[in-house]
Amino acid sequence: MLNKIQGHKSKIMIAIFIVLCFVLIRSFENQLFYDPLLIYFNADFKSLPFPEIDSFKLFLGLLLRYSLNSVLSLLLIYVLFKDMDILKFSSLMYLFFFLVLFGMFFIILNFFPDGNWLLFYVRRFIIQPIFVLLFIPAFYYQMQNLKK
């Protein structure tokens, strides 16, 4: 076991660095991104209307955050698996989820003023690196099954 860990020392260090980058993005989210919904969702938002939003600035802020999280996630997936097919598939999945989630986000924001819970969860998938938490175990399981 210890020999395996020592054999993958660089892989582990790079993975830890990428995870720390995720932490930095989360820590400095108020300074890095325009997102009035950060304050809105920290309050008791169940009965509050949506705040005034500059849709273009919000789109750019969410796009930047989603892009940073996606690039870091793809790097982490590549570091862990060293498989270009997995990386290509993951890239396509991130592009697909980008289109679906951003479409849903702005439809909810503009046409469903009472959809604050739905907006909360769609926004979570945009701003947090949740997909990498789903992809890594799935790819690991798939690789283990291919070895059998």
Side-chain angles (χ1 to χ4, degrees):
M1 176 75 171
L2 188 58
N3 288 337
K4 277 189 171 185
I5 291 174
Q6 287 179 340
H8 296 290
K9 193 184 305 184
S10 63
K11 184 188 284 192
I12 292 169
M13 295 304 288
I14 294 170
I16 289 171
F17 176 75
I18 293 170
V19 170
L20 288 175
C21 289
F22 284 127
V23 170
L24 287 173
I25 289 172
R26 174 76 172 165
S27 298
F28 294 105
E29 65 188 355
N30 290 328
Q31 293 83 12
L32 294 173
F33 312 106
Y34 169 79
D35 193 353
L37 295 173
L38 284 170
I39 298 166
Y40 174 75
F41 286 122
N42 281 333
D44 184 21
F45 63 90
K46 292 173 228 133
S47 59
L48 295 175
F50 293 137
E52 287 295 317
I53 293 173
D54 181 346
S55 294
F56 184 70
K57 282 176 70 175
L58 180 61
F59 173 77
L60 289 179
L62 291 174
L63 176 65
L64 177 61
R65 188 160 182 179
Y66 187 83
S67 298
L68 287 172
N69 284 334
S70 297
V71 167
L72 288 172
S73 298
L74 292 170
L75 282 171
L76 184 59
I77 289 169
Y78 182 73
V79 165
L80 294 176
F81 297 105
K82 299 281 190 208
D83 188 327
M84 287 306 291
D85 290 331
I86 288 176
L87 186 65
K88 288 176 188 175
F89 177 76
S90 300
S91 300
L92 288 174
M93 292 302 293
Y94 274 101
L95 179 62
F96 172 76
F97 286 126
F98 166 78
L99 296 172
V100 170
L101 290 171
F102 273 75
M104 287 175 56
F105 182 83
F106 285 102
I107 287 171
I108 295 166
L109 190 63
N110 292 314
F111 299 109
F112 296 96
D114 295 330
N116 50 13
W117 276 108
L118 187 57
L119 186 69
F120 175 80
Y121 288 112
V122 169
R123 185 178 154 279
R124 274 287 160 224
F125 276 94
I126 292 173
I127 68 170
Q128 302 298 332
I130 296 170
F131 295 122
V132 77
L133 297 175
L134 300 172
F135 290 169
I136 289 173
F139 294 143
Y140 180 77
Y141 179 77
Q142 179 183 2
M143 291 184 81
Q144 293 303 310
N145 279 343
L146 290 175
K147 289 180 183 179
K148 291 181 181 179

